[in-house]
Every structure is written in structure tokens, then in C-alpha cells.
Amino acid sequence: MKRRGYGANIGDAYRQQGIYAGKILKGEKPADLPVMQSTKFEFVINLKTARTLGVAPSPGLLAIADEVIE
């Protein structure tokens, strides 16, 4: 699965979609449901791509990343 460098947590988005689908199937009107914004984000660094681009991520940046791909 390809991941973005920084973006919404896909698993959380799918969970929220399931909750909305359940509410609609129970009879709620879609227009009455609130618009939700993502609250969970993930930061992924791909070191191979960074090296190809000639970028060296700092140790601090690597420390705060949710995932570092070799």
C-alpha cells in the first residue's frame, strides 16, 4: 500500500465512513449528519525516495515520523 508523506489516517476515515453508513441505514437523513474533518494524521518518510531526491531528513524529523520506510 502506497502512503502519502503527510495525510489523514486512512483507517480512521474508513471507520468514520462505516459509522455514517450505519446511521443512514438506521434511518437518519444524510443531510442531517455533520461534516467531519480528520483528526488523526500520519507522517511517513520514505528514505529511498529522499535519497533519490538528494534530501537528508534530519534526526529530529525522523524521530517524530509515525513511520520511516527504508
Side-chain angles (χ1 to χ4, degrees):
M1 178 170 137
K2 293 201 178 219
R3 294 190 169 184
R4 289 182 245 166
Y6 182 74
N9 182 298
I10 300 299
D12 190 51
Y14 287 149
R15 182 185 61 78
Q16 189 62 44
Q17 289 173 1
I19 291 170
Y20 269 37
K23 288 181 178 185
I24 292 168
L25 291 172
K26 289 180 183 177
E28 289 193 46
K29 295 179 183 177
D32 294 338
L33 295 174
V35 174
M36 301 291 291
Q37 290 185 339
S38 294
T39 57
K40 293 181 182 178
F41 294 88
E42 55 185 19
F43 179 47
V44 179
I45 297 175
N46 186 322
L47 290 178
K48 182 178 178 183
T49 301
R51 287 185 197 113
T52 301
L53 295 173
V55 177
S58 69
L61 198 59
L62 294 172
I64 64 169
D66 294 312
E67 183 178 351
V68 177
I69 301 170
E70 294 293 328

